[in-house]
Amino acid sequence: MISFPGTAATAESSTRGHEWMAEATAGHRFILGPVTVSPFAGLLASGWKAKGFTESGAGAFNATVRDQTAHALSTQAGLEGCLNLPFGTVMMSPRLRGAWIHELANDARSMDAAFGSVDYTISTRKPQIDSARLSAGLDVAITPRLALFGDYSLQTGDATRVIGAWSAGLAYGF
């Protein structure tokens, strides 16, 4: 909604985008009876891209936002603990995980836009350099190499509010 004396309009728009994420992690498992403790370290990479758009419906007050991209590369180091509980031929393993995340890129990103014929750029704040990721999950080992998993993770830092994510899937071990 655009509203000020003498003008009232509604600007609308839509855009499309995509995001990718990749993670490579290595560690070692220490088995202490039904408890497994695993220190780990790894590399996290991600990218995001959104198509540009021009608003419609507000005449001279429509804004244009250009294509946007962002990339991140982080290291992680942490500890995971799980309890292995056999149920017949299936192994249920609830787990907790904590990691320190360190962002390697320390540059602000920019967003290019235009209002009418006036171009402008908005710079974002620099990314959070250090944060913590905590997660809890459940693995269900169907065979020694095949498992179902579910997980909820929280990531936070001094400038980052809590970011939560659910994940679920199928894992195959080599």
Side-chain angles (χ1 to χ4, degrees):
M1 298 290 296
I2 300 167
S3 179
F4 52 89
T7 302
T10 301
E12 295 181 359
S13 66
S14 66
T15 186
R16 294 200 177 271
H18 65 272
E19 179 180 26
W20 61 266
M21 292 181 260
E23 176 178 346
T25 303
H28 185 73
R29 290 187 177 158
F30 297 97
I31 300 171
L32 311 164
V35 176
T36 301
V37 177
S38 306
F40 63 90
L43 194 62
L44 309 165
S46 64
W48 170 84
K49 182 173 185 173
K51 296 272 188 191
F53 62 88
T54 298
E55 296 174 329
S56 63
F61 299 104
N62 290 329
T64 298
V65 176
R66 309 236 187 336
D67 289 353
Q68 307 297 317
T69 60
H71 296 89
L73 183 63
S74 305
T75 59
Q76 68 173 339
L79 185 67
E80 179 177 276
C82 80
L83 180 60
N84 302 304
L85 305 168
F87 287 97
T89 61
V90 174
M91 180 68 75
M92 305 275 288
S93 301
R95 59 186 156 72
L96 296 173
R97 182 177 176 120
W100 166 60
I101 309 294
H102 181 75
E103 175 63 45
L104 298 173
N106 191 20
D107 55 338
R109 295 167 179 99
S110 61
M111 187 166 58
D112 298 320
F115 186 68
S117 62
V118 178
D119 290 336
Y120 60 94
T121 299
I122 297 172
S123 291
T124 65
R125 68 177 180 216
K126 291 182 177 185
Q128 176 78 41
I129 297 299
D130 292 305
S131 61
R133 181 178 297 156
L134 306 171
S135 65
L138 177 66
D139 295 338
V140 179
I142 300 165
T143 71
R145 293 182 181 256
L146 184 65
L148 297 171
F149 66 89
D151 188 82
Y152 183 71
S153 296
L154 294 171
Q155 185 168 337
T156 188
D158 62 337
T160 302
R161 293 190 175 103
V162 173
I163 301 169
W166 287 97
S167 63
L170 182 66
Y172 183 79
F174 296 97

